[in-house]
Amino acid sequence: MESIGGGPGDAAHTSWLELSAGALRHNVEVFRALEGGKGPSGALGVVLKGNAYGHGLSQVLPVVHGLVDILYFIAPQDALRVREHERAQGLAPRQVVVLGAVAPQEAVVLAREGVEVVVADRGWEAAVPVLRAAGLARPLRVHVHIDTGLGREGFTLEQLPGETRFLMDARDVLEVVGGLSHFANTEDVTEQGYALAQVDAFETGLGLLSAQLGTGRVLQRHIAASAATLVLPRARYEARRVGISLYGLWPSAETRLSARLVLGEVPSLRPVLSWRCASQVVKWLPANAYVGYGCTYRTSEPTRIAVLPVGYYDGYPRLASGKAHVLVNGRRCAVLGRVMMNHLIVDVTRATPDERPVTATLMGRDGEESITAEALAGWAQTIHYEVVTRLGAHLRRVVVE
Ligand SMILES: *Cc1c(COP(=O)(O)O)cnc(C)c1O
């Protein structure tokens, strides 16, 4: 059967994502070059949650598996895909850590697969008898989450060491190998006072935990995500959990500013993702014609439009209506009227000389112009993290060099 669906060189009317393997490798190199470098004293981890930040786990995993030391996930079933990939490709197993919630039965599967988990609350006590009943060959390796000021997961300093005492009685099935925390406010500021207070709290919490575990236990410590890894050297410790920036995006403009101050230069991150769409039709509308639902746009002169078969179903934010641009032949083209479920209408009067099909770039570079994830997020009154993670899982993704 012939396959249908969009893609480069494919006339079908749909959009696709291009993922640059070269950009991913480059971004890994940027992080490897930061002080701390390679090896057990400076493990680089990639965060692959949210379908690899919307980039596509199936496409990103084979590229990053050999480049980083640790793979972090939220969902257990995603983490298990690493082991499937390794078995299929005959690769040595990487350190894999599930940061999110895990049900007791899932914990059994993860233990058998050598996937590590995060214990962030006493709910884990319920998993202990289930793990014992499973007769594991090796205990499940766990990282203890310390809530140092995000107010999300983790044991607060007040809860330590009382609330983690159950771990001491469960050493046969739960082996504590690490301690982690997560920052609340590293991206929105250039002044890291709150983050430094969190680092202090982290060290206090780790001290309490180590005392409880007894001497001789070396914990893998990790608190830094992209921003802190870049601009807060004190927070790098043994492992870093880098998400957005391995995909080539700055956590924020503030982080970029701070990088200049802290590192002396701004590392060049390369966006991994481009989003393109072949036109469904290119045609002329007369002057004074309405465009799209709600008749929110009316042409003031004869206008050549391209109807693009992509919309908010695919992850193109409806809030970008009336503000966004796409690129056609290296030129910026305004999105006219409202973003629809499966359609966008753009003004290509000056971008193309005739009514032949065009390819639009919704995100990414085309010639001298580019539309960044940040720009699209700005039009949609949100952050680029949300824009990329909302890219539909159904979109075709192709890895390019
Ligand atoms: C998402 C996440 C990260 C990665 O954050 P980035 O800002 O994308 O680098 C790290 N740690 C935890 C716990 C997270 O939830």
Side-chain angles (χ1 to χ4, degrees):
M1 199 177 95
E2 265 189 83
S3 73
I4 49 174
D10 187 331
H13 302 305
T14 181
S15 71
W16 70 93
L17 302 176
E18 288 172 10
L19 306 161
S20 165
L24 252 176
R25 283 196 296 271
H26 167 85
N27 299 330
V28 167
E29 284 312 311
V30 167
F31 277 87
R32 290 289 192 200
L34 292 174
E35 192 217 354
K38 203 177 166 134
S41 63
L44 178 63
V46 61
V47 181
L48 294 168
K49 66 189 179 191
N51 195 23
Y53 285 57
H55 289 54
L57 179 57
S58 311
Q59 291 76 23
V60 172
L61 178 59
V63 181
V64 294
H65 186 276
L67 301 178
V68 299
D69 308 305
I70 312 172
L71 304 156
Y72 293 101
F73 293 88
I74 293 289
Q77 65 270 25
D78 289 344
L80 293 172
R81 287 177 58 184
V82 179
R83 296 293 180 247
E84 280 169 31
H85 172 71
E86 288 161 347
R87 275 194 284 272
Q89 302 293 319
L91 301 168
R94 286 260 174 234
Q95 185 181 2
V96 179
V97 182
V98 172
L99 298 165
V102 174
Q105 282 305 335
E106 291 174 323
V108 171
V109 179
L110 296 178
R112 292 204 171 113
E113 292 285 351
V115 172
E116 302 172 8
V117 300
V118 170
V119 168
D121 55 69
R122 284 184 64 172
W124 268 91
E125 273 180 278
V128 173
V130 180
L131 289 163
R132 283 198 178 119
L136 300 173
R138 297 163 300 176
L140 177 60
R141 289 162 66 87
V142 309
H143 299 250
V144 175
H145 200 141
I146 304 167
D147 180 357
T148 57
L150 177 59
R152 200 172 74 179
E153 300 112 314
F155 299 95
T156 61
L157 291 189
E158 290 68 34
Q159 290 174 317
L160 290 172
E163 300 254 317
T164 47
R165 192 161 295 133
F166 78 95
L167 289 168
M168 303 308 109
D169 304 323
R171 288 169 193 251
D172 54 320
V173 286
L174 296 175
E175 180 189 1
V176 179
V177 297
L180 75 147
S181 190
H182 194 37
F183 286 116
N185 194 24
T186 45
E187 292 87 359
D188 297 333
V189 292
T190 49
E191 178 281 305
Q192 299 292 348
Y194 194 80
L196 289 169
Q198 282 194 262
V199 172
D200 289 339
F202 185 45
E203 294 192 348
T204 303
L206 288 167
L208 292 167
L209 192 62
S210 293
Q212 186 174 47
L213 290 164
T215 50
R217 184 66 64 94
V218 180
L219 296 178
Q220 186 183 47
R221 300 169 296 174
H222 44 114
I223 185 170
S226 298
T229 303
L230 286 160
V231 303
L232 207 62
R234 211 189 131 196
R236 288 182 191 148
Y237 296 104
E238 287 81 24
R240 303 88 199 241
R241 306 185 304 263
V242 182
I244 197 95
S245 294
L246 280 183
Y247 304 95
L249 305 175
W250 281 88
S252 67
E254 288 82 354
T255 307
R256 211 165 181 284
L257 276 173
S258 302
R260 187 184 294 284
L261 293 173
V262 174
L263 306 172
E265 55 162 4
V266 180
S268 74
L269 295 173
R270 288 197 204 143
V272 168
L273 183 134
S274 304
W275 190 7
R276 305 196 204 276
C277 186
S279 63
Q280 183 173 339
V281 65
V282 178
K283 66 178 187 184
W284 281 99
L285 291 180
N288 300 316
Y290 288 109
V291 177
Y293 292 140
C295 297
T296 59
Y297 184 85
R298 195 173 193 185
T299 58
S300 56
E301 56 187 0
T303 303
R304 181 165 31 220
I305 60 160
V307 178
L308 305 178
V310 59
Y312 57 80
Y313 166 64
D314 304 295
Y316 199 90
R318 186 173 177 276
L319 272 175
S321 299
K323 299 184 204 150
H325 287 76
V326 305
L327 304 176
V328 173
N329 295 326
R331 282 180 179 250
R332 290 184 161 252
C333 302
V335 172
L336 305 179
R338 288 189 188 154
V339 173
M340 293 166 270
M341 189 186 292
N342 303 101
H343 295 96
L344 282 185
I345 296 166
V346 299
D347 182 348
V348 293
T349 308
R350 272 165 281 276
T352 184
D354 52 38
E355 287 73 69
R356 281 181 297 173
V358 294
T359 296
T361 297
L362 313 176
M363 225 190 304
R365 178 162 286 283
D366 178 8
E368 295 299 303
E369 285 280 356
S370 75
I371 307 271
T372 62
E374 290 89 337
L376 189 48
W379 292 323
Q381 296 168 47
T382 183
I383 54 171
H384 51 320
Y385 284 76
E386 183 175 352
V387 165
V388 292
T389 53
R390 282 184 177 276
L391 291 168
H394 62 282
L395 297 178
R396 175 146 153 209
R397 288 160 166 85
V398 279
V399 177
V400 298
E401 199 32 51

